[in-house]
Amino acid sequence: MALRGPKVWLWRWRRNPLKRRADRVEAWVVLGVWMLTVVAGVLAATTVSRSVADGLARERAEWRPLVARLAERAPGAASENAHVSRAEQVWATARWTAADGSEHSGQLRVPAGSAPGAPVTVWTDPEGRQVTRPVTESQARVRAFLTGGVAGLCAAAVPLAGGRALRGRLECRRIDQWDVEWSRFGPMWGRTTG
């Protein structure tokens, strides 16, 4: 374990007669990597977050609920109580007419034992294709924030990894330079004058 003195802030930028060119290059590399990391992370997070939020807002604006009718009896026994639990939902085929008049059909979750012709709600896109229910505004904000955050972290990791690799290369080069200097001056330390 190396002995270290007190931590000195911005030590790479302080004047020091022992500072070599490699130390100055490393200082600029560290500054550039941190700036690029922040810019890349914020830019990616903002861009992805806005894109996700816009896409979800477009879905909320374009997707509409329609009334579909069951084409067949839903599997399972009908429930006596009015409040059907989620566990008593089954898949059944339903048909609906889109806004443009075209006929569509698809599988929907319905209460077990529902009679043919029973009305069920289906969400459709402008072409009448079945889609999931769009997320609410608050759910969209959370989804956009989380997706943007993950994208920002991933984008920020790229310059950090590149900077770490570059600093590792600079460190290897510095050690090689120390070896050359040590081989030149080390033998002189053992000599005595006299």
Side-chain angles (χ1 to χ4, degrees):
M1 182 170 149
L3 298 174
R4 295 182 183 212
K7 183 154 177 106
V8 179
W9 291 99
L10 301 173
W11 64 270
R12 286 183 172 95
W13 298 100
R14 294 182 143 200
R15 291 181 183 259
N16 185 340
L18 299 177
K19 189 179 351 179
R20 294 179 304 262
R21 180 177 179 267
D23 297 324
R24 287 188 292 278
V25 168
E26 185 179 1
W28 283 106
V29 165
V30 168
L31 179 65
V33 163
W34 278 110
M35 287 176 55
L36 188 59
T37 298
V38 169
V39 169
V42 169
L43 187 63
T46 304
T47 303
V48 169
S49 181
R50 283 184 184 161
S51 175
V52 169
D54 291 346
L56 294 174
R58 189 171 37 263
E59 288 176 1
R60 278 193 312 278
E62 294 176 354
W63 293 1
R64 295 284 174 242
L66 293 176
V67 176
R69 301 283 176 187
L70 288 181
E72 59 189 17
R73 181 172 181 80
S79 177
E80 285 81 26
N81 59 4
H83 301 291
V84 178
S85 70
R86 193 106 174 116
E88 295 170 320
Q89 297 277 316
V90 295
W91 290 101
T93 302
R95 290 190 174 87
W96 63 90
T97 303
D100 63 2
S102 60
E103 295 289 327
H104 297 273
S105 66
Q107 293 283 315
L108 299 174
R109 298 282 289 175
V110 297
S114 296
V120 290
T121 302
V122 61
W123 285 86
T124 60
D125 64 8
E127 288 79 37
R129 293 182 302 240
Q130 182 180 355
V131 293
T132 59
R133 181 185 189 124
V135 296
T136 63
E137 278 191 57
S138 60
Q139 291 170 332
R141 277 194 302 272
V142 170
R143 190 177 292 181
F145 176 77
L146 292 176
T147 307
V150 169
L153 289 175
C154 291
V158 172
L160 273 179
R164 183 66 190 132
L166 182 57
R167 285 186 64 203
R169 183 72 184 123
L170 289 172
E171 184 69 23
C172 288
R173 190 169 171 206
R174 185 176 326 154
I175 289 173
D176 291 344
Q177 287 174 345
W178 283 352
D179 285 344
V180 168
E181 291 172 9
W182 183 257
S183 67
R184 191 170 23 164
F185 293 108
M188 293 188 327
W189 287 7
R191 295 183 188 160
T192 57
T193 57

